[in-house]
Amino acid sequence: MALTPQQLQELRKRILDRRRQLAVELRGDAERSREEPYGTLAGATHDSGDESVADLLADLDQAELSRDLAELRDLEAARLRLDGGSFNVCADCRAEIGYERLRANPGATRCVTCQTRYEKTHAGPGAPRL
Ligand SMILES: [Zn+2]
């Protein structure tokens, strides 16, 4: 079933809200890292134990940052698809993606069936291969 104009409107709003929220988070992260530059944090002490903690924190920050950036990119792509009219089409099987799924995850590019298959076939390293 095609999405109604009201549903499209609601999804667009969710995408824009989520983008704004992410942008605020990313800006906050950037400001925090300016206030506590990694260099001075690690340089303030010669204790190598503290240095490795600072390293770890910097790595964690980085991981969080790239997750947020990836989500932001997904949302931006979703917004463009929304404008292009192919927003709710599964990238793999071209079936329509349900409204409820898009509401929960506006950046979704696949229907539930294809997403489940994708996650099975693209499991992380260490997953058993048959
Ligand atoms: Zn599909």
Side-chain angles (χ1 to χ4, degrees):
M1 201 175 78
L3 296 172
T4 67
Q6 285 84 357
Q7 287 174 330
L8 283 171
Q9 189 63 35
E10 168 69 17
L11 290 172
R12 181 188 301 273
K13 189 175 163 303
R14 289 181 88 83
I15 290 172
L16 295 180
D17 283 352
R18 183 65 187 140
R19 275 171 85 224
R20 199 174 306 126
Q21 193 185 333
L22 275 174
V24 168
E25 276 176 28
L26 285 168
R27 201 171 299 131
D29 284 345
E31 271 163 21
R32 258 203 313 283
S33 60
R34 261 202 304 279
E35 281 163 17
E36 293 174 30
Y38 167 61
T40 57
L41 205 67
T45 171
H46 293 292
D47 187 320
S48 62
D50 281 355
E51 258 178 60
S52 57
V53 170
D55 259 339
L56 182 64
L57 289 176
D59 283 350
L60 288 175
D61 264 9
Q62 212 56 48
E64 178 136 347
L65 211 62
S66 48
R67 252 202 315 277
D68 284 351
L69 281 173
E71 188 178 353
L72 200 61
R73 266 196 298 271
D74 283 351
L75 289 172
E76 185 59 22
R79 195 179 62 83
L80 291 174
R81 284 199 307 278
L82 194 69
D83 289 339
S86 60
F87 178 59
N88 61 335
V89 176
C90 172
D92 284 357
C93 72
R94 316 308 293 171
E96 282 186 7
I97 305 173
Y99 174 63
E100 286 308 320
R101 170 162 168 71
L102 289 170
R103 242 174 76 87
N105 180 7
T109 54
R110 293 181 184 84
C111 68
V112 177
T113 311
C114 291
Q115 185 63 39
T116 306
R117 191 176 52 218
Y118 178 83
E119 282 169 9
K120 272 188 195 146
T121 52
H122 292 74
R129 280 174 190 281
L130 294 175

